[in-house]
DNA sequence: GAGCACTGC
């Protein structure tokens, strides 16, 4: 391996030189001194803290005004060491003088906690009205930031500072500074009030370029050009992309504040490798033998590679260490589908002469921060879901990461002290990588964004103020999809059904199923199923050893699911969880054991109940005509008629996701005739006797897989088609 | 015979 030049300062000088060119109004700041006490670094995104932080603060011992103020004074000393605080007098004039400011603050600059407070002080000083919204891509970040800032501000959470995320809103009438998720701000926009309660909107982590942040940027531009010229906008981002944000907002000034991170030296391979797992393991062994103590974080593309690496390291660990000079390697897997208990293991420090090695997906790149990491090993790969709108199919691809992503990964080694980053590719190949990853919106299904725009009253979707235009083709497919779901009329105007769909916190297809269920009288059962579908990683993947056993147990519990498939199975499992296990004294531990035996996430089912409660409230409000009987919660039986009714509701939303059984027992999709296989995780994987199948997801990995599969009768296709949506489809094709 | 990562009035 060859050591490469480590240049941490490049972006700073880049912006500085722009000022000399006189091209743009740029204010460079000097590198800040490194802080002396790293334990005082404010850390976010800690999943150990999760949603309970605020509860601790709210429910803790009686909090007096005096104790809040003294805590705030204590924290002020820490705040004053933050780069953003030290440059306050230089930053604020820019923000005050410009309607839009782009602020580039590196990790540890304090931008997310301090800038909003500076603005809040000004609002108080000038006795102005209006409040500040700060958006975050993730719930945990919004919660943790609000909690921290409330402490710094010397108030209780929910007084002047609060947060609003799905299922949890601590804001009150007093709140002037509100941290919220992107999704929540979009929901507020959907209420059509032009965000009038806010005088300042701060978009944080804009560089992550999620679909929702991109949409918000587009909405903000149209707001300041139209009904809200008074609105002040600050776009905050880690590094890079500043030019793009600035240009989008009429060449807004770019401010750059350096952070407080430690140097990370880069090492590259001299020759490329073709076995990435092998290369990662070798690299870990080398680190273990040659480097000082400190944990290793390895980035691999997916679960398969991670499990393989963990297995290998478990086998060889004792042979490549000794008790005196080379520590024992302890491998840990980390990915989203891992049961929460196992995820939590990576945060516990290891005792004794050992070195923790975490094999992780991209989850550790932004969402999760692990302390103690001194070394990063980067495979240079990630998995990405790409939507093919022509085929209505998602493909899961392993692709090279971008330079920005590689830098972010390396940075994970320099959070607490100097670190080293080992890139398992050659330096010339790094230089050939794209600077940025392709933004999510360019590779996503835009049906839902298009519906939001329609609901907001935008007619010309193609020429809207997109921050990143997903392309005419994608937009037209989205419009057509919405038309077929009955959300748009023949002139492309939003229908009453479309309005309802836009207000439901579901993807349009599921909203459409829900509305249908309210019409035919199986709303309660369909809500339960949709709630299960809305929760990611509810059904966990059993390890290969216990796979057959778990499948057997699931099948034996779900008589109807065995025949009709995964949607009905979810309802059967929900019924057991909710009705049967909820009664005893020790309901929680009973549920826990039950979930463990079936390899189901208990946390997942708790979320299912929250989604269900929310949907029931929405439905009550949206469908005033539904009768009492329809609303009543009930268990599913094995009654074929009832099950058919439920599945036909799903068919109205997923008519495109159907396949017909062939004589050779394979399936071919109705829309394109492509072969499709039932995913092995499905209840119907072994059942080869379905005349047809319907699925909620069509993913291409090694081949086309149908996920969440249900049995359908072929006659249903015609029935559902003539009843509704496909009439529209015919009109579309005949008008072409 | 298999599972990138987030998120919602």
């Amino acid at each position: 391996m060859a050591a490469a030049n480590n240049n941490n300062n490049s972006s700073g000088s880049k912006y500085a030189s722009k000022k000399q060119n006189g091209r743009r109004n740029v204010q460079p700041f000097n590198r800040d001194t490194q802080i002396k006490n790293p334990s005082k670094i404010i850390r976010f995104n800690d999943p150990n803290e999760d949603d309970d932080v605020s509860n601790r603060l709210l429910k803790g011992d009686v909090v007096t005004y005096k104790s809040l103020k003294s805590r705030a004074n204590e924290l002020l000393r820490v705040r004053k060491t933050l780069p953003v605080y030290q440059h306050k007098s230089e930053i604020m004039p820019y923000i005050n003088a410009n309607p839009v400011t782009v602020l580039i603050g590196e990790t540890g600059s304090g931008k997310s906690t301090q800038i909003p407070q500076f603005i809040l002080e000004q609002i108080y000083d000038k006795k102005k009205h209006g409040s500040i919204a700060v958006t975050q891509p993730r719930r945990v970040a919004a919660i943790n930031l609000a909690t921290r800032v409330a402490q710094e501000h010397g108030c209780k959470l929910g007084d002047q500072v609060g947060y609003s995320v799905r299922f949890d809103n601590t804001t009150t009438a007093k709140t002037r500074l509100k941290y919220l998720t992107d999704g929540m701000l979009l929901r507020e926009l959907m209420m059509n009030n032009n965000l009038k309660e806010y005088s300042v909107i701060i978009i944080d982590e804009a560089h992550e370029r999620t679909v929702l942040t991109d949409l918000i940027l587009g909405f903000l531009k149209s707001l300041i050009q139209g009904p809200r010229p008074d609105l002040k906008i600050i776009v905050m981002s880690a590094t890079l992309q500043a030019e793009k944000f600035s240009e989008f907002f009429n060449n807004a000034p770019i401010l750059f504040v350096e952070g407080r991170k430690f140097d990370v030296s880069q090492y590259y391979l001299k020759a490329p490798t073709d076995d990435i797992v092998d290369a990662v393991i070798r690299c870990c062994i080398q680190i273990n033998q040659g480097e000082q103590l400190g944990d290793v974080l390895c980035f691999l593309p997916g679960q398969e590679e991670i499990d393989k690496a963990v297995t290998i390291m478990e086998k060889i660990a004792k042979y490549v260490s000794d008790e005196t000079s080379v520590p024992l390697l302890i491998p840990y897997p980390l990915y989203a589908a891992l049961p929460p208990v196992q995820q939590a293991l990576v945060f516990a420090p290891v005792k004794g002469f050992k070195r923790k090695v975490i094999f992780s997906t991209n989850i550790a790149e932004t969402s999760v921060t692990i302390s103690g990491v001194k070394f990063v090993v980067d495979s240079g790969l990630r998995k990405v879901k790409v939507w093919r709108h022509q085929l209505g199919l998602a493909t899961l691809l392993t692709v090279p990461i971008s330079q920005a992503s590689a830098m972010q990964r390396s940075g994970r080694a320099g959070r607490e002290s100097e670190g080293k980053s080992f890139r398992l590719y050659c330096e010339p190949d790094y230089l050939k990588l794209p600077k940025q990853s392709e933004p999510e919106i360019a590779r996503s299904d835009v049906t839902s964004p298009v519906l939001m725009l329609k609901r907001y009253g935008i007619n010309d979707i193609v020429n809207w103020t997109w921050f990143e235009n997903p392309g005419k083709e994608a937009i037209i497919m989205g419009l057509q999809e919405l038309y077929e779901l009955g959300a748009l009329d023949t002139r492309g105007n939003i229908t009453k059904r479309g309005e309802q769909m836009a207000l439901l916190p579901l993807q349009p297809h599921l909203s459409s199923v829900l509305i249908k269920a309210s019409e035919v009288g199986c709303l309660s059962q369909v809500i339960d199923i949709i709630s299960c579908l809305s929760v990611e990683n509810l059904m966990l993947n059993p390890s290969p050893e216990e796979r057959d056993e778990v499948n057997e147990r699931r099948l034996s519990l779900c008589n109807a699911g065995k025949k009709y498939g995964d949607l009905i199975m979810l309802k059967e499992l929900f019924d057991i969880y909710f009705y049967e296990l909820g009664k005893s004294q020790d309901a929680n531990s009973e549920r826990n054991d039950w979930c463990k035996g079936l390899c189901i996430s208990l946390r997942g089912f708790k979320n299912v109940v929250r989604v269900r409660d929310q949907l029931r409230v929405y439905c009550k409000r949206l469908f005033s005509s539904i009768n009492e009987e329809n609303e009543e919660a009930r268990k599913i039986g094995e009654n074929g008629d009832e099950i058919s009714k439920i599945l036909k509701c799903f068919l109205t939303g997923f008519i495109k996701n159907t396949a017909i059984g062939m004589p050779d027992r394979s399936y071919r999709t109705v829309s394109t005739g492509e072969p499709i296989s039932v995913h092995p995780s499905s209840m119907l994987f072994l059942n080869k006797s379905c005349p047809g199948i319907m699925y909620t997801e069509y993913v291409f990995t090694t081949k086309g897989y149908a996920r969440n599969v249900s049995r359908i009768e072929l006659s249903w296709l015609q029935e559902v088609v003539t009843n509704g949506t496909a009439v529209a489809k015919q009109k579309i094709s005949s008008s072409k």
Side-chain angles (χ1 to χ4, degrees):
Chain A
M1 286 190 188
N5 184 26
N6 169 44
N7 188 352
N8 246 341
N9 256 335
S10 56
S11 37
S13 51
K14 179 183 160 199
Y15 294 121
S17 66
K18 284 278 161 55
K19 192 191 180 190
Q20 287 156 9
N21 295 340
R23 260 191 50 210
R24 182 149 303 132
N25 202 356
V26 175
Q27 181 73 7
F29 296 114
N30 297 325
R31 184 176 184 81
D32 193 65
T33 49
Q34 288 176 355
I35 49 157
K36 298 202 174 66
N37 184 356
S39 69
K40 288 224 170 176
I41 298 173
I42 314 157
R43 251 179 284 279
F44 305 111
N45 293 350
D46 184 350
N48 291 325
E49 294 186 37
D50 209 39
D51 303 20
D52 294 330
V53 187
S54 54
N55 288 338
R56 274 210 313 270
L57 204 73
L58 288 172
K59 289 175 193 161
D61 302 326
V62 183
V63 191
T64 61
Y65 178 75
K66 210 174 150 189
S67 71
L68 287 170
K69 287 298 164 201
S70 79
R71 171 81 177 132
N73 272 331
E74 211 176 285
L75 290 173
L76 188 60
R77 282 201 294 276
V78 187
R79 290 177 65 194
K80 283 181 175 166
T81 68
L82 291 167
V84 163
Y85 200 99
Q86 291 168 353
H87 297 290
K88 181 179 176 182
S89 58
E90 297 157 81
I91 296 170
M92 290 315 285
Y94 275 94
I95 289 178
N96 290 330
N98 293 285
V100 184
T101 310
V102 178
L103 187 102
I104 305 304
E106 292 184 336
T107 315
S109 65
K111 65 182 188 314
S112 312
T113 53
Q114 304 311 307
I115 301 285
Q117 291 188 80
F118 299 159
I119 298 169
L120 188 61
E121 285 165 18
Q122 289 189 346
I123 289 182
Y124 289 151
D125 288 348
K126 295 179 185 161
K127 297 195 168 60
K128 277 194 193 165
H129 292 289
S131 53
I132 308 160
V134 187
T135 71
Q136 294 293 323
R138 280 170 292 278
R139 288 166 50 97
V140 225
I143 294 168
N144 288 351
L145 282 166
T147 307
R148 172 72 185 197
V149 170
Q151 290 178 351
E152 291 185 1
H153 192 71
C155 71
K156 274 194 290 181
L157 205 52
D159 280 0
Q160 287 79 24
V161 183
Y163 66 83
S164 169
V165 299
R166 192 181 190 185
F167 309 126
D168 197 0
N169 181 359
T170 67
T171 60
T172 60
K174 277 197 253 177
T175 306
R176 305 295 294 276
L177 171 54
K178 178 167 161 186
Y179 286 87
L180 75 179
T181 45
D182 296 340
M184 289 301 278
L185 190 73
L186 272 172
R187 285 290 142 192
E188 291 186 10
L189 257 160
M190 289 298 101
M191 304 310 288
N192 255 338
N193 64 2
N194 293 334
L195 302 177
K196 60 177 181 295
E197 70 266 40
Y198 303 114
S199 51
V200 182
I201 301 212
I202 301 174
I203 307 299
D204 200 3
E205 311 286 4
H207 62 281
E208 287 193 25
R209 302 294 312 276
T210 70
V211 171
L212 300 185
T213 346
D214 273 18
L215 284 175
I216 289 177
L217 291 171
F219 274 116
L220 290 180
K221 183 167 179 175
S222 68
L223 277 177
I224 52 170
Q225 285 177 347
R228 289 295 311 274
D230 59 306
L231 188 64
K232 192 174 278 297
I233 295 166
I234 301 168
V235 180
M236 301 207 293
S237 164
T239 36
L240 302 165
Q241 298 213 342
E243 301 285 327
K244 192 171 164 92
F245 295 124
S246 166
E247 278 159 28
F248 183 68
F249 286 110
N250 198 22
N251 291 337
I254 301 168
L255 306 183
F256 180 84
V257 187
E258 283 191 336
R260 297 183 309 192
K261 57 185 184 194
F262 299 91
D263 285 342
V264 176
S265 29
Q266 298 298 346
Y267 300 84
Y268 291 91
L269 283 189
K270 281 179 184 162
T273 171
D274 52 358
D275 185 341
I276 198 65
V277 174
D278 179 74
V280 168
I281 299 272
R282 281 170 193 276
C283 185
C284 290
I285 294 171
Q286 225 167 301
I287 291 170
N288 198 40
Q289 287 170 343
E291 303 287 347
Q292 54 173 300
L293 218 50
D295 298 336
V296 187
L297 173 60
C298 307
F299 287 97
L300 282 164
Q303 184 178 337
E304 193 189 331
E305 293 84 357
I306 290 168
D307 288 341
K308 203 166 135 194
V310 169
T311 310
I312 295 174
M313 187 165 282
E314 274 168 351
K315 278 188 195 144
I316 62 164
K318 59 175 182 278
Y319 303 110
V320 294
S321 76
D322 63 59
E323 281 168 21
T324 50
S325 59
V326 185
L328 186 64
L329 292 164
I330 315 283
Y332 293 91
L334 180 64
Y335 43 82
L338 205 65
V341 188
Q342 262 179 284
Q343 276 189 29
L345 293 177
V346 307
F347 299 104
V350 288
K351 286 178 199 135
F353 192 50
K354 291 170 186 164
R355 193 194 298 269
K356 201 156 70 168
V357 181
I358 300 130
F359 296 100
S360 172
T361 60
N362 244 355
I363 192 171
E365 195 179 300
T366 47
S367 307
V368 158
T369 302
I370 306 152
S371 58
V373 172
K374 231 173 166 16
F375 307 98
V376 160
V377 178
D378 179 12
S379 67
L381 299 169
R382 65 168 182 154
K383 279 201 175 178
V384 60
K385 207 173 192 173
V386 180
W387 178 254
R388 312 267 159 162
H389 34 80
Q390 285 295 356
L391 303 169
L393 151 97
T395 48
L396 207 50
L397 306 170
T398 302
V399 298
I401 58 172
S402 64
Q403 291 184 7
S405 187
M407 272 148 51
Q408 173 73 16
R409 286 180 176 189
S410 297
R412 292 309 202 177
R415 304 272 305 186
E416 289 150 355
S417 60
E418 287 181 5
K420 290 186 178 179
S421 154
F422 301 86
R423 293 179 171 165
L424 300 183
Y425 37 95
C426 306
E427 193 169 13
D429 291 330
Y430 167 76
L431 297 170
K432 278 183 234 155
L433 292 175
K435 293 257 184 293
Q436 301 289 327
S437 307
E438 191 184 21
E440 196 186 8
I441 200 160
R443 49 180 174 84
S444 301
D445 177 18
V446 292
T447 309
S448 188
V450 170
L451 180 61
M452 282 186 199
L453 296 183
K454 281 288 176 186
R455 153 78 196 175
Y456 196 72
I458 312 293
N459 285 320
D460 186 358
I461 306 279
V462 175
N463 294 307
W464 183 64
T465 49
W466 292 95
F467 182 65
E468 181 97 30
N469 196 312
K472 204 172 171 178
E473 202 182 6
I475 292 170
I476 288 172
M477 291 306 288
L479 286 167
Q480 186 171 328
E481 199 73 23
L482 290 170
Y483 182 56
E484 288 167 23
L485 292 172
L488 302 179
D489 64 19
T490 46
R491 281 144 86 202
N493 294 322
I494 192 160
T495 59
K496 185 177 172 245
R497 196 187 187 84
E499 296 275 352
Q500 291 177 324
M501 284 166 59
L503 293 178
L504 286 163
L506 295 169
Q507 63 162 108
H509 300 86
L510 287 174
S511 297
S512 144
V513 172
L514 201 64
I515 294 169
K516 183 72 182 173
S518 77
E519 290 161 0
V520 301
C522 53
L523 184 59
S524 148
Q525 298 94 315
V526 167
I527 285 181
D528 293 350
I529 297 170
I530 286 180
S531 303
C532 292
L533 290 175
S534 303
V535 170
E536 283 292 310
N537 300 318
L538 174 65
M539 306 300 291
L540 303 166
N541 312 310
S543 64
E545 307 89 64
E546 40 176 29
R547 191 171 59 198
D548 291 338
E549 207 182 320
V550 169
N551 282 344
E552 197 50 50
R553 254 179 260 152
R554 286 179 183 175
L555 280 166
S556 70
L557 271 180
C558 307
N559 273 327
K562 208 165 164 177
K563 178 174 176 194
Y564 295 99
D566 302 318
L567 300 183
I568 300 302
M569 170 200 69
L570 288 171
K571 175 61 176 148
E572 285 181 293
L573 291 174
F574 177 83
D575 288 344
I576 298 171
Y577 172 87
F578 193 75
Y579 295 103
E580 289 174 32
L581 301 176
K583 287 174 193 157
S584 76
Q585 281 286 321
D586 203 5
N588 220 14
S589 85
E590 201 184 331
R591 282 174 167 166
N592 190 23
D593 294 344
W594 181 79
C595 284
K596 224 176 245 170
L598 291 165
C599 208
I600 293 172
S601 160
L602 175 68
R603 196 209 267 177
F605 251 126
K606 287 181 176 169
N607 280 329
V608 170
V609 176
R610 296 207 279 188
V611 175
R612 177 180 181 265
D613 290 343
Q614 190 183 39
L615 289 178
R616 291 177 72 86
V617 171
Y618 280 30
C619 287
K620 222 169 206 166
R621 228 183 284 160
L622 280 177
F623 317 130
S624 48
S625 61
I626 55 171
N627 57 44
E628 283 296 310
E629 195 195 343
N630 194 356
E631 278 181 59
E632 197 180 304
R634 78 180 75 146
K635 293 204 254 180
I636 199 165
E638 286 177 45
N639 176 337
D641 289 344
E642 187 194 10
I643 290 173
S644 304
K645 187 156 90 174
I646 292 168
L647 291 179
K648 280 183 210 169
C649 285
F650 277 92
L651 210 44
T652 62
F654 293 96
I655 187 82
K656 273 195 164 169
N657 287 10
T658 46
I660 298 175
M662 295 287 126
D664 65 355
R665 306 195 138 188
S666 68
Y667 294 100
R668 282 181 184 269
T669 65
V670 172
S671 52
T672 61
E674 290 293 311
I676 186 168
S677 307
V678 175
H679 195 272
S681 64
S682 170
M683 286 290 248
L684 295 183
F685 177 64
L686 296 170
N687 183 336
K688 307 278 184 194
S689 65
C690 300
I693 51 168
M694 164 185 68
Y695 38 92
T696 64
E697 213 185 341
Y698 180 16
V699 187
F700 196 96
T701 51
T702 47
K703 54 180 177 175
Y705 282 108
R707 310 200 63 182
N708 295 319
V709 186
S710 294
R711 175 199 173 98
I712 55 165
E713 302 300 328
L714 297 183
S715 62
W716 296 358
L717 286 172
Q718 200 53 38
E719 208 178 309
V720 171
V721 163
T722 44
N723 277 347
T725 54
V727 182
K729 192 173 179 178
Q730 266 178 4
K731 278 185 191 159
I732 282 196
S733 42
S734 63
S735 70
K736 270 182 192 164

